[in-house]
Amino acid sequence: MNQLSHLLVGVVANSKALTRQRVMRNMGVFSALQADDGLRTDWAIIVYDNLSVEWYDVRNFSASMGISLLLLEDGRKPSGFHPKLQYQSRFARLLDRSSHQAILLMDDDMRFNTPDALDTFLVKWACAWPEPPLVAQPVLDAENDNSSWMWLDRMSHWQKQSNQGSIRQASAPVAVETLIVQQAVVLLDAEFFQVLTQQVEPFARMQDEWSTDHGTDTVWCALARSMSASLLGDHPP
């Protein structure tokens, strides 16, 4: 099995208390998986409102858990909208390809509820194809199932339901190949991510100029498809 042993987690976040609590919860989930499966994680968080001073609680928590944490600020005045892709591209410089196998990009409102949920996703990432895909995403269990515009990542579409509408049993395949992966939470191969950030730099500047995140979902999948032959052979990207 192509087991994941060292991961960089990259988050673009505001400094609200709820956001920091969610980050600490996710750190706890990853820490539990390290104890069980030996998965090492390094965390890099870009604080786009430039209030990293508010993150003292996360600093203390990560230190108590033995988690490597780097907090970065925007460096610009936090006015107006700036797309995530420009921020996320900065994570490429933090990747150590001799050690990190992948990077997990997460929105600041995402959370893994349990170590088992995270472990299940990572096992499927490692085992579903002969080689791990360049881009992958777990299904999302949203409080409002209509909050996601893309049907493929909704948990309810991967489960059987009884006549009364309650979930009876999971019935979906282990994984499916897709042409689009939503930005909310995505796992990318480390080498691919470094190439990606170089290739999409003009696109990221255009997004920033127009104050939009639109298009990132399809761009990284299209690039993965074009690179899959060189990186994965004939396996799905």
Side-chain angles (χ1 to χ4, degrees):
M1 184 174 78
N2 303 289
Q3 185 172 356
L4 192 61
S5 60
H6 197 187
L7 177 70
L8 177 64
V9 181
V11 184
V12 179
N14 61 56
S15 298
K16 295 177 181 178
L18 182 59
T19 297
R20 303 196 311 273
Q21 292 167 10
R22 192 178 290 117
V23 167
M24 288 186 284
R25 180 188 178 110
N26 283 328
M27 283 182 170
V29 168
F30 277 89
S31 182
L33 208 58
Q34 178 174 345
D36 292 340
D37 296 343
L39 173 64
R40 293 171 52 208
T41 56
D42 300 323
W43 287 71
I45 300 174
I46 295 180
V47 184
Y48 62 78
D49 55 14
N50 293 332
L51 295 174
S52 61
V53 66
E54 300 289 336
W55 287 70
Y56 62 89
D57 48 356
V58 181
R59 290 182 190 273
N60 293 338
F61 180 81
S62 62
S64 70
M65 301 292 286
I67 295 171
S68 172
L69 169 65
L70 179 63
L71 287 172
L72 304 168
E73 292 192 345
D74 184 358
R76 301 173 291 186
K77 292 182 179 179
S79 59
F81 174 83
H82 298 288
K84 285 180 295 187
L85 186 58
Q86 273 207 334
Y87 294 121
Q88 291 169 338
S89 295
R90 297 172 62 183
F91 296 136
R93 286 172 280 177
L94 305 177
L95 276 170
D96 179 0
R97 278 171 48 188
S98 66
S99 180
H100 295 124
Q101 297 154 280
I103 178 170
L104 181 72
L105 302 177
M106 295 181 64
D107 282 1
D108 60 8
D109 60 351
M110 292 288 106
R111 71 173 186 265
F112 284 95
N113 286 329
T114 66
D116 285 345
L118 174 60
D119 188 46
T120 297
F121 167 56
L122 295 180
V123 168
K124 290 180 178 181
W125 171 86
C127 299
W129 313 109
E131 295 292 336
L134 300 181
V135 183
Q137 180 180 64
V139 292
L140 306 179
D141 188 10
E143 292 181 4
N144 177 5
D145 197 44
N146 292 320
S147 62
S148 172
W149 57 269
M150 193 171 73
W151 71 267
L152 188 61
D153 63 14
R154 295 187 200 166
M155 178 71 76
S156 62
H157 288 274
W158 288 70
Q159 295 168 321
K160 274 188 177 180
Q161 296 187 357
S162 68
N163 294 334
Q164 290 75 34
S166 60
I167 293 172
R168 184 170 57 193
Q169 65 181 37
S171 62
V174 170
V176 296
E177 185 179 353
T178 178
L179 298 177
I180 186 169
V181 169
Q182 198 180 13
Q183 300 178 48
V185 52
V186 57
L187 183 66
L188 301 107
D189 173 84
E191 181 180 358
F192 169 73
F193 182 70
Q194 289 185 318
V195 175
L196 169 73
T197 56
Q198 298 170 6
Q199 295 288 327
V200 301
E201 185 178 352
F203 176 73
R205 289 200 302 268
M206 181 185 69
Q207 284 185 319
D208 195 48
E209 181 180 349
W210 287 89
S211 299
T212 179
D213 265 334
H214 183 73
T216 303
D217 318 84
T218 54
V219 165
W220 53 32
C221 286
L223 183 61
R225 183 164 295 279
S226 69
M227 290 180 59
S228 62
S230 61
L231 293 180
L232 298 179
D234 295 327
H235 308 312

